[in-house]
Amino acid sequence: MLFDEVTDLIDAHSRDELERQLAELKEEQEALTAEYDVSSLEEFREQLAEEHLSAADVRERRNVIATWEAINTELGLVKHALHLYGDVVELSSPRTDSSSTLA
């Protein structure tokens, strides 16, 4: 399933588009760390348990956690796509040399 998602990304986007997407996702992640003054999702989760928050604050933070997890998932997929981009493109393109065709 992971490979399917990665190859779908590669099929739908150029390397440049994936690199831009990676930068955008990193910016979103950095914005969350700055907004909540934490260095990671794990630290943010620890604050959730430690601080005395209202029910509304807890709901808001759970939404932020879901967003952060989605960003992390997308980051992982885009990184895999960039890492495998050349190999997948090469394997999916038709061979043009005569030794690769059956006679």
Side-chain angles (χ1 to χ4, degrees), residues 6 18 58 64 94 97:
V6 169
L18 290 171
V58 171
V64 171
D97 62 15

Side-chain angles (χ1 to χ4, degrees), residues 58-103:
V58 171
R59 278 191 297 277
E60 176 190 339
R61 286 182 175 236
R62 287 186 43 81
N63 288 336
V64 171
I65 288 169
T67 299
W68 204 322
E69 287 173 335
I71 291 169
N72 287 347
T73 298
E74 285 297 313
L75 268 171
L77 290 171
V78 170
K79 285 179 181 180
H80 284 304
L82 285 168
H83 181 72
L84 297 172
Y85 194 88
D87 293 334
V88 170
V89 168
E90 182 180 329
L91 289 172
S92 64
S93 63
R95 300 236 179 216
T96 56
D97 62 15
S98 59
S99 65
S100 67
T101 59
L102 295 175

Side-chain angles (χ1 to χ4, degrees), residues 1-92:
M1 191 160 83
L2 172 67
F3 188 73
D4 289 341
E5 290 187 45
V6 169
T7 54
D8 287 347
L9 275 175
I10 292 169
D11 289 341
H13 302 285
S14 70
R15 184 184 296 269
D16 287 342
E17 290 170 334
L18 290 171
E19 289 170 352
R20 279 193 295 278
Q21 189 175 358
L22 180 68
E24 291 169 4
L25 289 165
K26 285 284 198 180
E27 288 171 1
E28 288 180 47
Q29 193 178 54
E30 290 168 2
L32 288 173
T33 61
E35 182 177 347
Y36 293 96
D37 194 28
V38 293
S39 60
S40 67
L41 175 57
E42 291 73 27
E43 184 179 342
F44 184 74
R45 283 178 186 239
E46 288 174 15
Q47 283 183 355
L48 181 66
E50 294 171 1
E51 295 183 15
H52 301 287
L53 302 169
S54 69
D57 289 337
V58 171
R59 278 191 297 277
E60 176 190 339
R61 286 182 175 236
R62 287 186 43 81
N63 288 336
V64 171
I65 288 169
T67 299
W68 204 322
E69 287 173 335
I71 291 169
N72 287 347
T73 298
E74 285 297 313
L75 268 171
L77 290 171
V78 170
K79 285 179 181 180
H80 284 304
L82 285 168
H83 181 72
L84 297 172
Y85 194 88
D87 293 334
V88 170
V89 168
E90 182 180 329
L91 289 172
S92 64

